[in-house]
Amino acid sequence: WLKFSQAQLDSGGSQQHARGPLAVTMSHRSGDFDAVCGNVHTQSHRFPKQWAASSNNYLQAARRHCRQAWWLRSAVGDECRTVSKKRAEQSSAVNYALRERVAETDNLYRSLRSSLAATTSELQELSMARQQVLRELHDNRVRKRRTEQCLLNRTQRPPREALRDTAEVMLEHELTKLQETIDVQAVSVREIEARTSKLQKLKKALESDLLDKKQALEVDLGTLQMHAPARQHRSHSARVPRRRQMTYSESRSGRLTPR
């Protein structure tokens, strides 16, 4: 049916070449429209898909950069929280070490103060004992001189009355005992004085050590009070709440859209 006769084709060609008044008028108007709006046709060269492609590219880039920004912000937040946690743990460890040192120093300080008080009391007791021994030593020496004077006085008896009786023997025995007592008391005094000298040196050492421990305790307490508030103040990164995680869903077109 696509086959036409030569006559039909000739008649069609003659009809095509034969232009009526209406065809001439339409052709003239079309030429006028092309002359006036030719520039408009040259600018509108993009199809709707091409026109929306650039905007879609911007949207995809914005979503991609938003995801990357969220991951970066999340990583920075995690890092800040990790650093804050480690700093808090380190600060807690430092505070614990300082408190342990303060407690140990305080225990030593209390022990030294108690020992110093006991040493001072012992020195006072030794001083009192020394004074008592010295008084007894003085009394025994006086009694010894009196006993010696008594024995010497017994020698003044007449030659025919000279005899070694019980009284003379008792005086000699008393003199011997007094001399032994004086010797023992003299040794006791020397021992008390030697012990007093050692205790006095020890007291000076205790006082010096006690003063150092007191100063060290004050320094450690000041350091602890200076460092302890750092554990209580949280950093800004730790105070900022975690933002809601951005999630994406895939649409039918394959694009990722935020929920």
Side-chain angles (χ1 to χ4, degrees), residues 7 27 32 54 56 67 80-81 84 100 102 119 121 161-162 172 220 237 243 247 257:
S27 177
D32 294 340
S54 61
N56 289 329
R67 288 194 300 270
C80 291
R81 282 185 288 273
S84 178
E100 287 292 324
V102 167
T119 303
S121 176
E161 297 295 329
E172 290 177 353
D220 288 341
S237 61
R243 296 186 180 180
T247 57
T257 58

Side-chain angles (χ1 to χ4, degrees), residues 46-62 255:
R46 292 186 301 173
F47 292 99
K49 290 184 178 180
Q50 296 176 348
W51 166 78
S54 61
S55 298
N56 289 329
N57 291 334
Y58 293 150
L59 291 174
Q60 292 178 0
R255 297 189 181 94

Side-chain angles (χ1 to χ4, degrees), residues 48-252:
K49 290 184 178 180
Q50 296 176 348
W51 166 78
S54 61
S55 298
N56 289 329
N57 291 334
Y58 293 150
L59 291 174
Q60 292 178 0
R63 295 189 189 99
R64 184 173 65 256
H65 287 295
C66 286
R67 288 194 300 270
Q68 294 175 355
W70 180 86
W71 284 113
L72 177 61
R73 177 173 50 82
S74 178
V76 171
D78 293 340
E79 183 178 359
C80 291
R81 282 185 288 273
T82 302
V83 171
S84 178
K85 182 180 179 180
K86 290 182 178 179
R87 185 172 62 246
E89 292 176 354
Q90 184 177 4
S91 178
S92 178
V94 171
N95 292 335
Y96 179 79
L98 285 173
R99 285 193 292 269
E100 287 292 324
R101 178 55 55 201
V102 167
E104 185 176 358
T105 306
D106 185 65
N107 290 334
L108 288 176
Y109 177 78
R110 293 175 183 273
S111 298
L112 288 171
R113 188 172 59 182
S114 177
S115 179
L116 179 62
T119 303
T120 303
S121 176
E122 191 64 30
L123 282 172
Q124 293 176 355
E125 294 293 335
L126 283 175
S127 178
M128 294 174 59
R130 179 175 178 274
Q131 295 296 329
Q132 181 179 359
V133 173
L134 287 176
R135 286 194 298 268
E136 292 180 0
L137 181 60
H138 176 71
D139 294 340
N140 289 330
R141 285 174 177 173
V142 171
R143 292 179 61 184
K144 177 186 175 184
R145 288 193 294 268
R146 187 172 56 248
T147 303
E148 290 175 348
Q149 189 66 32
C150 291
L151 287 173
L152 183 60
N153 193 31
R154 285 292 301 269
T155 60
Q156 295 178 4
R157 295 181 62 176
R160 288 181 298 179
E161 297 295 329
L163 76 160
R164 185 174 178 81
D165 55 358
T166 305
E168 185 175 351
V169 172
M170 295 299 296
L171 286 173
E172 290 177 353
H173 180 71
E174 182 181 7
L175 182 63
T176 303
K177 292 298 181 181
L178 287 173
Q179 184 61 45
E180 291 177 355
T181 304
I182 289 172
D183 293 338
V184 171
Q185 290 176 344
V187 172
S188 299
V189 170
R190 289 194 296 270
E191 290 179 351
I192 290 175
E193 290 177 349
R195 184 62 59 184
T196 300
S197 178
K198 292 181 179 180
L199 285 178
Q200 286 177 349
K201 292 180 180 179
L202 181 59
K203 180 182 177 182
K204 291 181 180 180
L206 288 173
E207 289 174 348
S208 178
D209 195 9
L210 186 66
L211 184 62
D212 292 341
K213 289 296 185 294
K214 182 179 180 181
Q215 186 176 359
L217 184 62
E218 292 176 354
V219 170
D220 288 341
L221 284 174
T223 305
L224 180 61
Q225 292 176 359
M226 186 184 304
H227 187 269
R231 180 175 59 87
Q232 301 174 359
H233 295 295
R234 301 177 62 189
S235 62
H236 177 71
S237 61
R239 292 195 301 265
V240 174
R242 235 182 180 180
R243 296 186 180 180
R244 183 175 60 87
Q245 182 176 0
M246 185 181 296
T247 57
Y248 292 86
S249 62
E250 186 175 358
S251 63
R252 290 182 180 179

